[in-house]
Amino acid sequence: MNGISLFPRLISAFILLAVALSIPALGSVTEYGRSTEDLIGVFSIEKTIRIGGSSQDLLPGDEADPLSPPRSLYRSLADDQAPSLAGLSIEPQSIPVNSSQPVNISLHAIDDQAFHEARASFSGPGELEAVALFPASSISSGSIRDGWYYTSIILPSNQTGVWRLESLTLADRDGNERELTGEELKKRGFPVLVLVVRPDASILPAGIENI
């Protein structure tokens, strides 16, 4: 084969190659489109990427929204413990009859999350009742987890007799409550009585050994 006869064949081959490149096969077009759609689909479905050590690895079975803040330790651990009473004082424990002297009450409450309120219920002479409230804002020292709370109450003192602390209820911000009866408080050594006496009285009312 000489150079003259080879040249036309090369020209024909280049022409055919150019035509083939300018008109892509339908199969390749379809394949290219499918590849693009598959890529978009995968990117849309697998938009959440788990990274080792992330908080999502700790949430099996629940696909958390990555835009949401992580669950805090406070929310993941439910508070089911009511506040406990660590201290209680009542001053004075004796007031004169027909006076408006306030009775000061302090309590020491401890809660693993946050104290909310306490309520002290008294019963007195003539079936009278009185309630002293300790909201969280009445804190005098410490913190909402371990603090002292203070309030004062003026008991009706138009007749002599004994005011008894019948119950003390403590509650936290999650609604957990602890109720202590007067007998339970007395057994723990806390004061539960307030006496209304005449100024010149030298003896305690009948049935009262000490306050």
Side-chain angles (χ1 to χ4, degrees), residues 132-187:
L133 298 178
F134 302 81
S137 59
S138 67
I139 188 169
S140 58
S141 63
S143 66
I144 57 176
R145 293 187 177 185
D146 185 351
W148 279 91
Y149 300 85
Y150 168 87
T151 192
S152 63
I153 184 173
I154 297 178
L155 297 172
S157 60
N158 56 341
Q159 57 182 308
T160 61
V162 179
W163 283 87
R164 298 179 184 273
L165 178 56
E166 299 292 350
S167 66
L168 178 65
T169 304
L170 302 96
D172 64 16
R173 288 185 180 177
D174 284 336
N176 302 303
E177 293 188 359
R178 183 186 306 276
E179 182 175 356
L180 299 169
T181 66
E183 286 301 317
E184 290 173 325
L185 294 169
K186 183 178 179 180
K187 289 179 180 179

